[in-house]
């Protein structure tokens, strides 16, 4: 059984594009591991990505997107718990290899959950006014990657 991609409402498309960049971060971490790159180099990039992209992305989802569903909604609770866990991982100063491995795995799982389960639910429940608000608040970003150390190439 293959999952057919759902047509994403245009208000949520920029968030889905940001999710794509998050999936690329997981891929870059895996690529760094496979090339036996010093984990400190990978960690430096992951921290940059978190501070320059994910923090804003999480804030936008939490303040404007998740609120479309009730705060007691189990899907919202899971997404918020994922965000907190990912923030702790990105901010953790311990073993880089172990932490990066958890970030790579948990970020990918979280994005898949939002894209396949949470966003379709939000899209089904949202009014046009709510979707318009998201669209007005969140202009598509011009993603600028940090290519000072392209360890993944």
């Amino acid at each position: 059984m293959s999952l057919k991609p759902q047509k994403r409402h245009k208000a949520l498309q920029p968030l889905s594009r940001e999710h794509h960049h998050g999936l690329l971060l997981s891929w870059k971490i895996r690529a760094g591991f496979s090339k036996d790159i010093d984990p400190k180099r990978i960690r430096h990039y992951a921290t940059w990505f978190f501070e320059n992209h994910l923090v804003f992305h999480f804030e936008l989802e939490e303040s404007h997107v998740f609120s479309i569903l009730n705060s007691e909604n189990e899907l919202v609770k899971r997404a918020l718990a994922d965000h907190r866990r990912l923030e702790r991982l990105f901010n953790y100063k311990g073993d880089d290899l172990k932490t990066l491995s958890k970030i790579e795995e948990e970020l990918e799982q979280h994005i898949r959950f939002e894209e396949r389960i949470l966003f379709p639910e939000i899209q089904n429940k949202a009014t046009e006014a709510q979707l318009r608000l998201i669209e007005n608040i969140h202009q598509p970003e011009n993603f600028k990657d940090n290519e000072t150390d392209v360890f993944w190439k």
Side-chain angles (χ1 to χ4, degrees), residues 4-10 12-13 16 119-120 123-124:
K4 186 177 168 198
Q6 182 178 10
K7 181 89 171 111
R8 188 70 68 227
H9 188 282
K10 70 179 185 165
L12 297 174
Q13 288 174 3
S16 289
F119 275 25
Q123 190 169 300
N124 289 336

Side-chain angles (χ1 to χ4, degrees), residues 48 54 76 119:
W48 171 86
L54 278 182
V76 170
F119 275 25

Side-chain angles (χ1 to χ4, degrees), residues 21-136:
H21 295 297
L23 292 173
L24 283 176
L25 171 60
S26 290
W27 175 85
K28 288 172 181 176
I29 292 170
R30 285 192 302 273
F33 288 165
S34 72
K35 294 174 182 295
D36 210 20
I37 300 297
D38 180 352
K40 286 186 184 357
R41 289 173 59 194
I42 303 170
R43 184 60 182 260
H44 182 75
Y45 177 83
T47 299
W48 171 86
F49 187 89
F50 175 72
E51 291 171 353
N52 289 277
H53 296 287
L54 278 182
V55 169
F56 174 75
H57 177 85
F58 285 179
E59 287 172 359
L60 187 95
E61 285 181 333
E62 291 172 16
S63 58
H64 299 289
V65 181
F66 297 169
S67 60
I68 290 171
L69 301 177
N70 183 305
S71 63
E72 293 303 307
N73 182 292
E74 290 303 316
L75 301 177
V76 170
K77 285 181 179 180
R78 176 179 167 187
L80 291 170
D82 286 356
H83 283 188
R84 297 294 87 72
R85 194 169 48 257
L86 284 162
E87 285 173 12
R88 282 194 304 276
L89 284 171
F90 276 102
N91 290 314
Y92 182 68
K93 301 299 181 215
D95 181 336
D96 285 336
L97 191 61
K98 194 177 196 178
T99 303
L100 285 165
S101 185
K102 285 183 178 180
I103 287 171
E104 176 271 318
E105 186 178 315
E106 291 194 26
L107 181 62
E108 185 163 330
Q109 287 175 358
H110 171 69
I111 292 169
R112 301 282 185 216
F113 161 71
E114 283 191 351
E115 283 294 320
R116 294 176 180 163
I117 298 168
L118 182 59
F119 275 25
E121 181 69 13
I122 287 169
Q123 190 169 300
N124 289 336
K125 300 274 193 265
T127 65
E128 272 307 310
Q130 289 171 316
L131 291 168
R132 253 192 323 279
L133 178 65
I134 293 169
E135 195 172 0
N136 291 337

